[in-house]
Amino acid sequence: MAAATCSTKAMVLFKRTLALSPAAAPRGAGPASPPRGSPFPPCAWPSKDRPWGEGACGRLWSPTTVRRLSSHSSPSASAVAVCLLCPQDSLRSSLKTCYKYLNETSRSFALVIQGLDGEMRHAICIFYLVLRALDTVEDDMSISMEKKVPLLHNFHTFLYDPDWRFMESKEKHRQVLEDFPTISLEFRNLAEKYQTVIADICRKMGFGMAEFLEKHITSVQEWDKYCHYVAGLVGIGISQLLSASELEDPIVGKDTKLANSMGLFLQKTNIIRDFLEDLQEGRQFWPQEVCSRYVKKMSDFTKPENFDLAVQCLNELITNALHHLPDVITYLSRLRNQSIFNFCAIPQVMGIATLAACYNNKQVFKGVVKIRKGQAVALMMDATNISAVKAMIYQYIEEIYHQIPNSDPSSDQTKQIISTLKTQGLSDCQVVSRSHFSPIYLSFFMLLAALSWQYLSMLSQVSEDYVQTGEH
């Protein structure tokens, strides 16, 4: 019951939050810099050191990554897509194996990571694989609690044991446990500054996972705590890795409150949107303290006669999530690397667009709430500077504001947080990333983005067929 309630979500949530993982290309003029005003980040622009294939795939994102906050996606591998776009021929054997495992366990992350500079790319790759292995232990229902809890508590120590591996897992991605010596070897090959961050986050996440193995999310405080363990820690870890790399200022890694809010905002958005899917799979992540004010049990929300109460509960949780936006804006305002800004900002504007679509919407309890693909592409193209991001946040909180029912129990709190957000100068900002383009150039970039989306979709499908054929 514990694993069915809380454990199976942890790595899914990590992957949903991995869009926090930034890319690292220096901002400013240079051989790899796009023309002024271009919506594409610097590392997507060709140079003698980075041809179109390697930089572009990470910058254009995979359809899975883009849709992470706009629809549901398959977690199947995409090794073919990554190998075609981002050859890793120059890597040593053990590191190649790590990227192979990355490709097999996370299609979206494998594509996103290719836009990172070499040292940072490897650190984030190993960071992911370590947490993937940790999550595989947590998710495995065949491991007894007596064995699982010590494994989770001590997992961070296995990073320094060259021979440790776990051969008893029945999970789909058990190869990351069976061949953990390869992953831990590459962990130890990282600079000590990266090792320290990864081991610390692994330790904290392991203890957090163990805590929620047999624990339901009852209060709002526990909701925040759970989201911290499965998403906030990821944001904190990535922020600390960025600061350690000196691609961002030290304050980005030191201010854990803001980094945690980046993760919590995305995590709560996914939990809110995915209510029906989680309920159908036997998982419940809405805090019982809030839900019990409206119905006796969460499954009652899906009954048509309870839709009005369900929407009131939904609006209250969305209001709770909106309280993280001031921290999100402050965090993004501190970023100085263009490519890092893009990859941190895009999922956040996707998040607020998703919450606006979910607010006061009964469809959350009847099916899937999506943002349109065209809307997602527009958000990707526009989220290139803090002024544009503020303008988009303003647009979506205005949409929410005009939907607030006067009879809604949390209406006053919703209006209050929206008023607070407006004091951050959102209404004075404009989306400026497209203003430098004539209509013909704008059409070209929109067409290029659409074709890239379709191309990556095709590669993902080909890779799925390839992997399935290989399994058979």
Side-chain angles (χ1 to χ4, degrees), residues 422-438:
K422 288 180 178 179
T423 63
Q424 294 191 269
L426 301 184
S427 60
D428 299 328
C429 297
Q430 296 180 344
V431 178
V432 297
S433 64
R434 301 185 195 181
S435 60
H436 301 288
F437 293 97
S438 66

Side-chain angles (χ1 to χ4, degrees), residues 308-367:
D308 288 342
L309 292 173
V311 166
Q312 290 177 2
C313 182
L314 169 70
N315 292 347
E316 181 173 345
L317 293 180
I318 291 177
T319 299
N320 177 286
L322 291 177
H323 281 83
H324 297 293
L325 276 178
D327 283 350
V328 168
I329 294 171
T330 303
Y331 183 99
L332 295 176
S333 299
R334 289 176 174 174
L335 300 178
R336 56 185 176 86
N337 181 287
Q338 181 65 63
S339 56
I340 289 174
F341 180 88
N342 293 346
F343 268 81
C344 289
I346 288 172
Q348 302 296 331
V349 296
M350 293 275 194
I352 184 59
T354 299
L355 289 185
C358 289
Y359 187 83
N360 210 47
N361 188 351
K362 297 177 182 178
Q363 184 62 27
V364 172
F365 306 96
K366 297 188 289 184

Side-chain angles (χ1 to χ4, degrees), residues 141-356:
M141 299 286 287
S142 68
I143 304 175
S144 66
M145 288 295 174
E146 292 75 15
K147 182 177 292 186
K148 183 179 292 188
V149 171
L151 281 173
L152 294 175
H153 284 170
N154 297 319
F155 201 88
H156 65 286
T157 67
F158 304 147
L159 293 169
Y160 300 97
D161 184 346
D163 300 319
W164 187 88
R165 67 179 74 225
F166 188 75
M167 305 299 293
E168 302 173 30
S169 176
K170 307 299 182 185
E171 284 292 294
K172 176 182 179 181
H173 298 304
R174 58 186 177 272
Q175 73 267 30
V176 294
L177 289 172
E178 294 174 349
D179 193 21
F180 196 75
T182 298
I183 297 171
S184 66
L185 170 63
E186 286 304 325
F187 165 81
R188 294 188 298 276
N189 283 337
L190 294 173
E192 185 177 354
K193 59 185 179 181
Y194 300 136
Q195 291 186 37
T196 301
V197 172
I198 294 172
D200 181 59
I201 296 298
C202 180
R203 178 184 63 83
K204 292 175 179 176
M205 190 173 286
F207 275 85
M209 288 176 171
E211 179 179 338
F212 277 91
L213 281 177
E214 295 183 302
K215 186 177 182 180
H216 294 279
I217 301 173
T218 55
S219 66
V220 173
Q221 290 74 21
E222 286 185 344
W223 196 38
D224 285 347
K225 192 175 185 179
Y226 176 73
C227 291
H228 165 74
Y229 284 139
V230 301
L233 283 174
V234 180
I236 292 170
I238 290 174
S239 298
Q240 291 176 346
L241 290 173
L242 291 175
S243 291
S245 72
E246 300 183 0
L247 292 168
E248 292 295 346
D249 294 330
I251 188 62
V252 173
K254 290 180 179 178
D255 196 336
T256 56
K257 177 179 180 295
L258 298 190
N260 187 60
S261 288
M262 292 281 285
L264 263 64
F265 178 70
L266 294 178
Q267 186 46 51
K268 289 182 178 181
T269 297
N270 281 289
I271 287 177
I272 290 168
R273 182 203 60 189
D274 294 342
F275 170 83
L276 186 61
E277 176 188 343
D278 288 333
L279 186 68
Q280 290 171 343
E281 295 182 5
R283 304 189 300 255
Q284 297 179 1
F285 296 98
W286 285 21
Q288 295 175 1
E289 173 188 339
V290 176
C291 297
S292 62
R293 292 200 287 266
Y294 301 95
V295 292
K296 291 184 178 179
K297 57 182 185 296
M298 290 189 201
S299 59
D300 291 341
F301 282 143
T302 60
K303 299 176 180 179
E305 62 269 24
N306 292 328
F307 278 168
D308 288 342
L309 292 173
V311 166
Q312 290 177 2
C313 182
L314 169 70
N315 292 347
E316 181 173 345
L317 293 180
I318 291 177
T319 299
N320 177 286
L322 291 177
H323 281 83
H324 297 293
L325 276 178
D327 283 350
V328 168
I329 294 171
T330 303
Y331 183 99
L332 295 176
S333 299
R334 289 176 174 174
L335 300 178
R336 56 185 176 86
N337 181 287
Q338 181 65 63
S339 56
I340 289 174
F341 180 88
N342 293 346
F343 268 81
C344 289
I346 288 172
Q348 302 296 331
V349 296
M350 293 275 194
I352 184 59
T354 299
L355 289 185

Side-chain angles (χ1 to χ4, degrees), residues 53 113 133 230 298 363 394 402 419 449 453:
I113 200 175
V230 301
M298 290 189 201
Q363 184 62 27
Y394 179 80
H402 290 298
S419 297
W453 189 313

